[in-house]
Amino acid sequence: MLLTGTARAAYPDHPIRLIVPFPPGGAVDPVARFLAEALGERLGQPIVSINRGGGGGSIGMDEAAKAAPDGYTIVLDHSGMAYMPGLYRNLPFDPVKDFAPIIAAVAGFYVLAVTPSLPVKSVADLIAHAKANPGKLTFGSAGIGSTLHLAGEMFKREAGVDMLHVPYRGGGPAIKDLIGGQIQLMFAPAVAMMPLANTGKVRVLAQTPAKRSALAPDLPSVAETLPNFDIVGWYGLAGPAAMPRVEVDRINAEINQALKAPPLIERLHQLSYEPIGGTPEEAAARIETDVARWTKIIRDAGITPQ
């Protein structure tokens, strides 16, 4: 039974569970930890992170969707959830209908990189080279249906080029082969690729957000050549669909304030993330837009749902 009236004003009166739908020890763990620490300090209750990896993130998301909507179970939702309707035939939850979005908290960006031997220095050069060599360029990814794969498919569609996808078991092996010249290009997280670009092991052509990241203001965006191209990796917070609005608003307000604190901003910048913030409605609109866009891209690319 949900509390109402003055009783609810005491929220929260015990620890809150934060489901992190990824295995422990991954790159997302610091983001979850930073948000949990900041929110816990502001709410005066511990935020207990619980890793629930598996199923490409769907297992943890499903657990959160089916949790009691009492404000004491929330989930670290993420941009990858928007791929799930297109990638999974029997997805046990609806990313749009089964959650109460609280906030889109932080954004990271990806970059388009090529092997140094490829004779291109811009996105326009790459498109021209690909059109002159149809089907001959290979782009790597962290696996079929990964962000890195779908970014490549989106690039192919927007640029009107034919390239061969080479899936790897994770981004690391793909980056290794990019350095070695076994593949010609790939999209990858900026935090992994920029240090390699600084030492000349790869050449970074552009970043994926339509608006240049403040962390790389001198790096062009792909959208400056292909206006419809816009990819942002984001993480946020959500609860089960029936989570009381008063509790959604409380967490939203506290995270928005936390994201203005210079120490947290600096910690996020070290991971190549920037604060987003905003309203629950803006978070919901982001999810709806992403689901519609990626479902179409996955279908157009001929990726068979699992």
Side-chain angles (χ1 to χ4, degrees):
M1 179 177 176
L2 298 179
L3 298 178
T4 57
T6 58
R8 186 177 286 166
Y11 174 84
D13 62 7
H14 60 271
I16 295 172
R17 292 196 313 152
L18 171 62
I19 296 176
V20 181
F22 301 98
V28 70
D29 269 3
V31 176
R33 184 173 67 254
F34 294 166
L35 293 177
E37 290 175 356
L39 180 60
E41 289 176 3
R42 297 192 63 86
L43 289 178
Q45 288 288 345
I47 310 298
V48 182
S49 294
I50 301 172
N51 292 89
R52 292 283 192 266
S58 63
I59 291 176
M61 297 299 298
D62 186 44
E63 179 178 336
K66 293 177 171 58
D70 56 7
Y72 287 94
T73 297
I74 57 177
V75 64
L76 187 80
D77 61 350
H78 55 98
S79 50
M81 67 190 287
Y83 314 153
M84 293 178 182
L87 295 176
Y88 298 102
R89 186 174 288 107
N90 297 308
L91 192 66
F93 60 88
D94 186 315
V96 174
K97 298 178 180 179
D98 290 342
F99 295 94
I102 297 172
I103 192 169
V106 303
F109 68 104
Y110 302 91
V111 296
L112 169 58
V114 300
T115 190
S117 62
L118 197 68
V120 302
K121 294 186 177 179
S122 68
V123 173
D125 286 349
L126 177 60
I127 294 171
H129 186 80
K131 288 184 175 180
N133 299 274
K136 294 183 180 180
L137 292 183
T138 54
F139 73 96
S141 81
I144 294 174
S146 66
T147 300
L148 312 189
H149 174 205
L150 298 181
E153 295 293 346
M154 187 177 190
F155 183 84
K156 286 170 57 179
R157 187 187 72 173
E158 295 299 325
V161 297
D162 179 19
M163 303 186 301
L164 177 65
H165 174 228
V166 181
Y168 289 79
R169 291 183 178 274
I175 292 173
K176 181 179 178 181
D177 274 6
L178 180 70
I179 294 171
Q182 284 78 26
I183 56 174
Q184 282 75 55
L185 66 141
M186 70 177 292
F187 289 86
V191 67
M193 199 61 76
M194 295 307 290
L196 298 174
N198 293 337
T199 58
K201 294 181 178 179
V202 301
R203 181 182 301 126
V204 169
L205 303 182
Q207 57 182 296
T208 61
K211 180 181 178 182
R212 296 188 187 189
S213 168
L215 300 178
D218 298 326
L219 183 64
S221 69
V222 177
E224 290 166 34
T225 303
L226 301 173
N228 292 326
F229 195 97
D230 182 21
I231 298 177
V232 175
W234 58 264
Y235 293 100
L237 298 175
M243 181 174 170
R245 180 61 192 238
V246 66
E247 292 163 8
V248 168
D249 287 343
R250 175 75 190 281
I251 294 176
N252 175 274
E254 300 299 354
I255 287 292
N256 269 312
Q257 287 301 312
L259 290 173
K260 298 175 183 178
L264 179 57
I265 293 172
E266 177 60 28
R267 295 169 85 182
L268 292 172
H269 282 179
Q270 290 173 0
L271 298 173
S272 293
Y273 286 100
E274 297 178 273
I276 305 177
T279 66
E281 287 76 17
E282 289 169 333
R286 181 184 293 269
I287 294 169
E288 291 179 17
T289 299
D290 282 0
V291 167
R293 177 176 63 158
W294 288 116
T295 299
K296 185 177 189 309
I297 289 173
I298 290 167
R299 183 176 62 248
D300 291 349
I303 300 171
T304 303
Q306 299 178 9

